């Protein structure tokens, strides 16, 4: 009882001292304190993205037109969905080189079932997702329970799944698909519904920010100034308003973007708010320590591969619906785009760190480079050179940041 009273008294004293110290801070010091809490990597990515957009808008006035921005977001949706799954694998300390081939295979299966066998859209989607989960279970089992390196398992999967696609499709292009299926990849949200979703998003952000502030206040944590939270909410509201306005000035918000946002929110919740997510980060940080702390490392490892393959199958559906056909080349090299998006978004290839939001922003950076260079009619080899250079710089920045922290 006496120990508890002493502990409470010390906590109260420390809190009082912290409050007194806050009162003595100058305006400049408070601003620096607030800036210090920011995620420097995230703001660097956003600044780089804005720089890319400004550069390409000067090079071609069509780049920032509503039509091109709509196409840009459609283009980034495929990489974003793949990057979400890839991020979980990388955070756990592994790699998945097979996702591009899984995209091609699952998209081919969806097209075959609908075009050759006249299946309706819903059962086609369910079977395709089941195939994705099954592939993830098989690859995850080899990695987690047979201790075969993920690099080898997924490299073999990359070749095997591409071969299966060639075999079942007989090397032909499979098209066309039903209109209901095509809506998944090329449909648009009506204007009024788009504004309704914008209002809902702003309300959710405001409520979330308020609850977070009340929670910090309840447990005695330091609070940022109220005006800072209001400015943050207004900033997000303005961004959402601009986005919806631009999309509505063309055809509306593309449905794949809504799908990306839903998946990003869902997997952000899984990564940050669930035991599974904490276990995945712990495994990537130190596998042996995670095992000794009671985490079922094998099961969690297999789970991340299931997630990765499931999201790859969703990508296969979106891509096939968007192009209204399945080809043997679909998904080629997509695994490298997904890895690059994660790394550019701040995910460490060493495992243990990375965010879903960062991966999505990284995917937008990659799509912006592709789109901008295509508008400028640059030859394909330049696109590979530029994206490769950006990937190297992103990895270097990650390693440099780690060395600076440990110094």
């Amino acid at each position: 009882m006496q120990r508890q009273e002493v502990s409470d008294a010390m906590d109260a004293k420390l809190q009082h001292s912290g409050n007194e110290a806050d009162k003595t801070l100058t305006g400049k010091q408070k601003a620096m304190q607030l800036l210090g809490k920011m995620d420097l990597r995230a703001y660097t990515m956003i600044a780089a993205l804005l720089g890319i957009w400004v550069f390409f808008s000067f090079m071609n006035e069509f780049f920032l037109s509503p039509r091109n921005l709509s196409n840009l977001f459609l283009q980034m949706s495929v990489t974003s969905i793949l990057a979400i799954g890839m991020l979980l694998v990388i955070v756990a300390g592994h790699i998945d080189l097979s996702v591009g081939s899984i995209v091609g295979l699952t998209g081919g299966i969806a097209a075959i079932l609908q075009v050759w066998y006249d299946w309706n859209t819903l059962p086609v989607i369910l079977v395709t997702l089941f195939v994705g989960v099954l592939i993830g279970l098989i690859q995850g089992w080899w990695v987690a329970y047979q201790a075969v390196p993920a690099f080898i398992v997924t490299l073999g999967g990359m070749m095997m799944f591409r071969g299966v696609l060639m075999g079942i499709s007989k090397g032909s292009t499979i098209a066309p698909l039903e209109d209901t299926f095509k809506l998944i990849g090329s449909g648009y949200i009506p204007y009024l519904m788009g504004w309704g979703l914008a209002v809902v998003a702003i309300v959710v952000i405001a409520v979330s920010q308020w609850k977070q502030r009340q929670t910090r206040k309840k447990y005695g944590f330091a609070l940022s100034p109220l005006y800072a939270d209001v400015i943050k909410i207004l900033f997000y509201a303005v961004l959402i308003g601009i986005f919806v306005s631009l999309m509505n000035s063309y055809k509306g918000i593309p449905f794949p973007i809504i799908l990306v946002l839903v998946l990003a929110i869902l997997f952000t919740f899984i990564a940050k708010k669930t035991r599974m997510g904490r276990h995945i980060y712990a495994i990537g940080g130190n596998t042996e320590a995670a095992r000794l702390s009671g985490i079922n490392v094998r099961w969690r490892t297999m789970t991340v591969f299931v997630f990765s393959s499931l999201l790859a199958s969703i990508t296969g559906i979106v891509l096939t619906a968007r192009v209204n056909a399945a080809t043997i080349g679909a998904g080629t090299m997509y695994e490298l785009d997904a890895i690059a998006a994660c790394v550019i978004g701040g995910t460490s290839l060493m495992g243990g760190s990375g965010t879903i939001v960062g991966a999505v922003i990284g995917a937008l950076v990659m799509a912006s480079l592709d789109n901008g260079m295509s508008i400028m009619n640059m030859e394909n080899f330049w696109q590979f050179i530029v994206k490769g250079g950006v990937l190297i710089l992103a990895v270097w920045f990650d390693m440099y940041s780690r060395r600076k922290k440990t110094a």
Side-chain angles (χ1 to χ4, degrees):
M1 187 71 177
Q2 290 179 347
R3 289 183 179 180
Q4 183 64 36
E5 292 176 355
V6 171
S7 177
D8 293 341
M10 291 179 64
D11 289 342
K13 185 175 181 180
L14 288 172
Q15 185 175 354
H16 177 72
S17 300
N19 293 336
E20 290 298 322
D22 287 342
K23 292 178 181 178
T24 60
L25 291 176
T26 64
K28 182 178 180 180
Q29 288 173 327
K30 288 183 179 180
M32 292 301 294
Q33 187 182 55
L34 181 61
L35 288 173
K37 296 177 182 179
M38 293 181 178
D39 186 349
L40 179 61
R41 185 64 176 268
Y43 285 92
T44 301
M45 288 187 298
I46 294 173
L49 178 63
L50 292 176
I52 292 171
W53 283 16
V54 169
F55 172 77
F56 284 124
S57 65
F58 276 117
M59 301 303 295
N60 192 307
E61 60 183 9
F62 176 71
F63 180 80
L64 290 181
S65 66
R67 178 179 179 180
N68 187 63
L69 288 177
S70 180
N71 292 333
L72 171 61
F73 286 116
L74 276 173
Q75 185 178 350
M76 64 86 67
S77 63
V78 171
T79 305
S80 295
I81 298 173
L82 271 185
I84 292 171
M86 184 66 73
L87 177 132
L88 297 175
V89 174
I90 295 176
V91 164
H94 298 284
I95 200 73
D96 190 347
L97 300 177
S98 66
V99 292
S101 295
I102 296 174
V103 169
L105 176 59
T106 54
I109 290 173
I112 287 172
L113 291 176
Q114 185 154 99
V115 177
W116 290 359
Y117 295 97
D118 295 323
W119 282 31
N120 293 325
T121 297
L122 181 58
V124 166
I125 293 174
L126 294 177
V127 170
T128 304
L129 296 180
F130 173 77
V131 171
V133 171
L134 183 60
I135 291 173
L137 286 171
I138 294 172
Q139 292 198 128
W141 180 79
W142 279 105
V143 174
Y145 291 93
Q146 298 302 311
V148 181
F151 181 88
I152 300 300
V153 172
T154 58
L155 180 62
M158 178 178 69
M159 294 183 285
M160 291 171 60
F161 303 142
R162 187 66 62 182
V164 172
L165 173 61
M166 293 178 181
I168 64 175
S169 67
K170 301 176 183 178
S172 61
T173 298
I174 305 168
L177 296 117
E178 292 182 1
D179 291 339
T180 54
F181 190 89
K182 289 190 293 184
L183 286 174
I184 299 173
S186 56
Y188 293 87
I189 303 298
Y191 298 164
L192 290 179
M193 185 179 295
W195 282 115
L197 291 175
V199 172
V200 171
I202 294 170
V203 171
V204 168
I205 291 172
V207 171
S208 176
Q209 194 71 28
W210 177 256
K211 285 186 176 180
Q212 183 179 1
R213 185 177 183 84
Q214 293 302 309
T215 300
R216 293 183 66 86
K217 182 178 181 180
K218 178 180 178 181
Y219 292 100
F221 294 127
L223 294 173
S224 59
L226 181 60
Y227 69 83
D229 289 337
V230 173
I231 291 174
K232 185 184 296 184
I233 294 171
L234 291 175
F235 174 74
Y236 286 131
V238 170
L239 283 182
I240 293 172
I242 292 174
F243 172 76
V244 174
S245 179
L246 283 172
M247 294 300 98
N248 282 350
S249 62
Y250 180 54
K251 290 184 178 181
I253 303 174
F255 178 77
I257 293 300
I258 302 298
L259 181 59
V260 169
L261 293 175
V262 171
L263 291 173
I265 293 171
L266 174 61
F267 280 93
T268 296
F269 176 81
I270 291 174
K272 290 188 175 183
K273 302 296 184 180
T274 67
R275 180 180 299 177
M276 178 187 296
R278 292 190 291 270
H279 287 180
I280 291 171
Y281 279 88
I283 291 170
N286 191 320
T287 303
E288 188 60 28
R291 182 181 293 108
L292 293 175
S293 65
I295 296 175
N296 190 337
V297 174
R298 291 180 174 179
W299 174 252
R300 295 305 188 200
T301 299
M302 189 166 70
T303 301
V304 297
F305 281 95
V306 171
F307 281 148
S308 179
S309 296
L310 174 62
L311 287 165
S313 66
I314 295 174
T315 305
I317 293 172
V318 173
L319 179 64
T320 304
R322 179 185 170 191
V323 300
N324 192 27
T327 64
I328 59 174
T332 302
M333 301 291 288
Y334 278 22
E335 59 277 350
L336 299 184
D337 283 343
I339 294 171
C342 291
V343 175
I344 292 171
T347 304
S348 173
L349 291 176
M350 305 298 290
S353 65
T355 63
I356 302 294
V357 173
V360 172
I361 295 176
L364 184 55
V365 170
M366 295 293 291
S368 299
L369 289 172
D370 276 336
N371 183 275
M373 289 186 287
S374 297
I375 288 178
M376 293 174 60
N377 294 321
M378 296 179 66
E379 297 186 51
N380 288 336
F381 70 86
W382 277 114
Q383 298 186 25
F384 285 105
I385 292 173
V386 171
K387 290 195 295 183
V390 170
L391 177 59
I392 293 173
L393 287 174
V395 174
W396 170 83
F397 187 80
D398 175 63
M399 300 302 294
Y400 173 77
S401 300
R402 285 176 172 270
R403 289 196 302 267
K404 192 172 182 181
K405 288 180 180 179
T406 57

